[in-house]
Amino acid sequence: MSTESFQTAVGSDTEAGPLDPSLRVVPADIFDVDPPYDPDEVDFEPAEFQDRFLDRELSWLRFNQRVLELAENDNLPLLERVRFLAIFASNLDEFFMVRVAGLKRRIAAGVAVRAASGLMPREVLDQIWDGTAELMERHARVFREEIVPALAKEHIELVRWSDLDRDEQRSCKRLFKDRVFPVLTPLAVDPAHPFPYISGLSLNLAVLVRNPKTDKEHFARVKVPPIFDRFVALGNQRFVPLEDVIGEHLKRLFPGMEILSVNTFRVTRNEDLEVEEDDAENLLKALEKELLRRRFGPPVRLEVEENIDEHVLELLISELDVSEAEVFRLPGPLDLRGLHDIADLDREDLKYPNFIPATHSRLAPVESASPVDVFKALQRGDVLLHHPYDSFSTSVQRFIEQAAADPHVLAIKQTLYRTSGDSPIIDALVDAAEAGKQVLVIVEIKARFDEQANIRWARKLEHAGCHVVYGLVGLKTHCKLAMVVRDEPEGIRRYTHIGTGNYNPKTARLYEDFGLLTTDEAIGEDVAHLFNNLSGFSRNATYAELLVAPDDVRSGLIEAINTEIAHQREGRPARIRIKANSIVDEAIIDALYTASRAGVPVELLIRGICAVRPGVPGLSETIRVRSVLGRYLEHSRIMYFENGDEPVAWIGSADLMHRNLDRRVEVLVKLPSTAEVQEVANVLDLAFDEHTAGWELDSEGTWTQATSPDGKPLLNLQEQLIATHRRRRAR
């Protein structure tokens, strides 16, 4: 789960040279962006409902609170609760690095305009400080008072140095001497040594020492090396924080000095990227410059141990230039992201029951042990995949791998936003290019926190002979598309995959996503036109079966909403159901309010940020908002419309946010068959069932865990889907 596994992988390869001239970047102005939203177009008086939007930043905090509530849920397996504690910490880090940093930047630049929620950035920041302080204290308390004792009962002990016996202390002393001490670098602060640079998210020891000869006190900083395990294994599933081991052996670092105090602290910095680019070469150079700047972004948060020496804290506040509001005093240990290692322990009895995704029935061999020919299977009919319940490796990955090896395949075109470090998708594309096939890859090098990795993959693909396009200047290419062009006896046939998730085999086992494999000619032609738009200067703004941002996702969805309003007014069946990660866009929200005022039932399944206020009299009385979190990260986007009893559904990459609708290339595809529409409808039926567990949002922005209407235990959506797929497999 990430922070979009809820975590994302960060590339470590910083090597970058001049941009190869074969790597293309296309100007974004080939897309026509919708005109600015005019709230006067709605059917109600905006002044009457000025506070009709919840604040997006505060809504995100409520999302992470729901993650924390999973860690607090003692009905979940213990190591899964540990995992959710680590996820909460990782999520909050990214929130500060990107969202809080952005608010501070706007205030400092004097462009602090009022948000759609009616709040000024300073007001939002003040509420963030209060809200995060409460959540971080709660997070620490859950760890210390609930998780640590519960782990101990299961013979997994997270202890501090004072809890170690003599043999364990001797073992840690040897570890320190042999491995840790050689890589430590104490940095003193005095007139000859300025205050050292503190890298973002690093764990540090603030050490106060006294020189017995001069009786002077001195400050030094010791960085806890991230190359070692965060929790040192003592044997018998006992662990001690690495900083405890270092803190107890500081005399080796400061011989002849008296150690007065040792406290851990941690700094979060602005690590968002701001890239202005005019052409391909400038894009890469600007990005590489920003990646270097990221390491030196201004601080946005200082975490310290609650018992820190006041003089040391004053020094840190002064030197790091943070305000009192940005200082968070917490009980140790700090930085609980390291709990992922504890959650990974080989204790299957403390985890979710193992589930192995099965091959989709349409792609599964019946008698032969050999893999199914994906192309023959798709000639018999489309396949709608639902990951992780349907295996990614035996569907999408096999589709690309068979295309690379098939002598009848002439070309492969694909977008890559994020992929895994050892991606078989990359390897298959390389194999295809080396076999002489035409391979076009749109690599989005501005995928947040994956920039370095994507630059590396772009170079690897280009060196293999692939045509690599970095995307569109001014836009991120976020759509999930793959197209295979195959020469067959009947002529050229296009095989297309359009998904809601990344081409990443690792996260495909953790993220819930839909994907359509199809030979539909209209969809194939649309996707071909879009690839031409992305790779060249072709301009085709009209699509038969796709909605494409920034062209027409917003306008297309509003048109569909208005159609439901017309059906409702004419007495025909009308209903709107939307499943997305986030919904913030004011134009779409106002269209939903208009639909609600007309009596259309509106159901929203939103994992993360939601700016909609449901249940407001006269505005949103028919709108219901739910959220489901669990072992898998709910990531798919579905737009479902009852359409007068002839339902239509769209799936794709676009969340309902400004960045997705205006600053990214996104794609929604209309599912071509009634069976596929019914399949996603069944998932939505289960998600919105009053007997399914989840959270419900009220008009004040408060999320409350659902309760059973009849006292029976609530069903877990993901466990129900696992059971459904197991039953299908058993047939």
Side-chain angles (χ1 to χ4, degrees), residues 584-718:
V584 172
D585 187 74
E586 292 86 8
I588 289 179
I589 293 174
D590 273 349
L592 293 175
Y593 287 154
T594 301
S596 179
R597 285 165 56 85
V600 178
V602 178
E603 294 176 306
L604 306 177
L605 186 63
I606 309 298
R607 172 173 60 86
I609 303 168
C610 181
V612 177
R613 287 188 185 270
V616 176
L619 181 70
S620 55
E621 295 174 68
T622 68
I623 297 180
R624 179 188 179 203
V625 182
R626 295 200 98 214
S627 182
V628 170
L629 304 179
R631 68 184 292 180
Y632 302 128
L633 185 144
E634 294 288 326
H635 190 252
S636 66
R637 293 87 165 182
I638 303 170
M639 315 295 161
Y640 175 94
F641 303 93
E642 199 69 34
N643 194 37
D645 211 23
E646 295 181 2
V648 296
W650 304 74
I651 65 169
S653 59
D655 281 311
L656 305 182
M657 305 177 73
H658 308 138
R659 71 183 186 191
N660 300 86
L661 304 182
D662 296 325
R663 301 192 298 278
R664 290 186 175 186
V665 180
E666 305 274 14
V667 169
L668 297 177
V669 61
K670 184 165 65 175
L671 295 179
S673 78
T674 302
E676 292 156 358
V677 173
Q678 186 58 51
E679 187 170 343
V680 298
N682 292 341
V683 173
L684 295 174
D685 285 342
L686 184 58
F688 289 111
D689 190 291
E690 61 182 1
H691 293 94
T692 297
W695 285 261
E696 301 274 351
L697 179 65
D698 67 18
S699 60
E700 298 303 313
T702 300
W703 291 90
T704 305
Q705 293 200 49
T707 56
S708 175
D710 51 16
K712 295 180 180 179
L714 292 174
L715 302 175
N716 181 289
L717 172 66
Q718 296 175 352

Side-chain angles (χ1 to χ4, degrees), residues 1-3 5-7 60 63-93 135 138-140 142-143 146-147 151 335-344 350-352 510-511 607 628-634 695 705 716 718-719:
M1 208 180 289
S2 123
T3 39
S5 60
F6 276 73
Q7 288 183 299
W60 186 95
F63 152 68
N64 212 26
Q65 177 179 319
R66 299 196 292 281
V67 175
L68 183 56
E69 288 175 6
L70 290 173
E72 295 170 333
N73 186 347
D74 57 12
N75 290 320
L76 295 183
L78 181 55
L79 288 184
E80 305 299 345
R81 296 175 65 191
V82 172
R83 176 85 67 194
F84 285 120
L85 281 180
I87 290 168
F88 172 92
S90 300
N91 285 352
L92 201 58
D93 285 347
L135 288 176
R138 180 171 159 187
H139 178 247
V142 171
F143 170 73
E146 296 184 29
I147 297 300
L151 286 171
D335 190 9
L336 293 182
R337 294 176 304 164
L339 289 176
H340 279 295
D341 293 338
I342 305 301
D344 287 337
L350 301 178
K351 299 180 181 180
Y352 289 122
L510 300 171
Y511 287 22
R607 172 173 60 86
V628 170
L629 304 179
R631 68 184 292 180
Y632 302 128
L633 185 144
E634 294 288 326
W695 285 261
Q705 293 200 49
N716 181 289
Q718 296 175 352
E719 294 301 325

Side-chain angles (χ1 to χ4, degrees), residues 255-289:
M257 304 293 281
E258 179 185 355
I259 309 296
L260 299 179
S261 68
V262 182
N263 298 107
T264 54
F265 72 96
R266 185 169 179 263
V267 175
T268 311
R269 294 183 177 276
N270 175 1
E271 299 203 15
D272 199 13
L273 294 178
E274 297 178 278
V275 180
E276 296 292 337
E277 68 293 89
D278 298 315
D279 55 43
E281 187 171 359
N282 286 344
L283 170 62
L284 188 60
K285 288 182 177 179
L287 182 61
E288 290 168 343
K289 182 179 179 181

Side-chain angles (χ1 to χ4, degrees), residues 361-389:
S361 59
R362 298 284 302 279
L363 302 175
V366 178
E367 297 177 356
S368 171
S370 302
V372 163
D373 185 317
V374 175
F375 301 111
K376 288 183 178 178
L378 294 181
Q379 289 166 17
R380 293 190 292 269
D382 296 347
V383 174
L384 182 64
L385 300 162
H386 194 190
H387 309 297
Y389 314 106

Side-chain angles (χ1 to χ4, degrees), residues 160-397:
R160 304 308 297 263
W161 181 264
S162 60
D163 301 314
L164 271 56
D165 61 32
R166 188 164 297 179
D167 288 341
E168 290 171 333
Q169 290 183 358
R170 281 197 291 263
S171 174
C172 288
K173 183 176 181 180
R174 286 194 299 272
L175 172 70
F176 180 84
K177 178 183 176 182
D178 296 342
R179 295 185 57 77
V180 180
F181 175 72
V183 302
L184 294 179
T185 303
L187 296 175
V189 176
D190 61 26
H193 301 87
F195 191 86
Y197 174 77
I198 309 297
S199 53
L201 302 186
S202 64
L203 190 62
N204 305 274
L205 297 181
V207 184
L208 196 61
V209 300
R210 177 188 291 126
N211 186 333
K213 294 182 179 180
T214 64
D215 202 37
K216 287 186 177 181
E217 295 183 0
H218 301 276
F219 172 85
R221 172 258 192 159
V222 178
K223 181 177 179 178
V224 177
I227 58 174
F228 299 115
D229 290 340
R230 176 72 178 80
F231 292 95
V232 176
L234 303 169
N236 297 320
Q237 294 192 332
R238 276 170 61 87
F239 301 87
V240 64
L242 177 59
E243 64 268 25
D244 283 17
V245 176
I246 297 173
E248 286 297 320
H249 296 89
L250 287 175
K251 284 188 175 296
R252 290 184 61 89
L253 281 176
F254 303 98
M257 304 293 281
E258 179 185 355
I259 309 296
L260 299 179
S261 68
V262 182
N263 298 107
T264 54
F265 72 96
R266 185 169 179 263
V267 175
T268 311
R269 294 183 177 276
N270 175 1
E271 299 203 15
D272 199 13
L273 294 178
E274 297 178 278
V275 180
E276 296 292 337
E277 68 293 89
D278 298 315
D279 55 43
E281 187 171 359
N282 286 344
L283 170 62
L284 188 60
K285 288 182 177 179
L287 182 61
E288 290 168 343
K289 182 179 179 181
E290 280 294 296
L291 287 172
L292 180 63
R293 183 201 61 78
R294 172 185 279 176
R295 295 169 49 201
F296 302 97
V300 293
R301 178 178 58 164
L302 171 62
E303 298 168 84
V304 299
E305 281 191 297
E306 58 187 0
N307 61 346
I308 190 169
D309 183 279
E310 290 299 326
H311 295 298
V312 172
L313 179 57
E314 289 174 7
L315 176 66
L316 292 175
I317 291 174
S318 173
E319 293 291 344
L320 294 170
D321 192 22
V322 294
S323 67
E324 290 285 348
E326 295 168 314
V327 178
F328 296 86
R329 294 173 177 256
L330 300 165
L334 303 181
D335 190 9
L336 293 182
R337 294 176 304 164
L339 289 176
H340 279 295
D341 293 338
I342 305 301
D344 287 337
L345 289 174
D346 187 16
R347 289 289 302 271
E348 297 305 315
D349 57 314
L350 301 178
K351 299 180 181 180
Y352 289 122
N354 192 33
F355 173 68
I356 300 175
T359 301
H360 191 285
S361 59
R362 298 284 302 279
L363 302 175
V366 178
E367 297 177 356
S368 171
S370 302
V372 163
D373 185 317
V374 175
F375 301 111
K376 288 183 178 178
L378 294 181
Q379 289 166 17
R380 293 190 292 269
D382 296 347
V383 174
L384 182 64
L385 300 162
H386 194 190
H387 309 297
Y389 314 106
D390 294 318
S391 169
F392 180 88
S393 63
T394 59
S395 57
V396 179
Q397 181 179 318

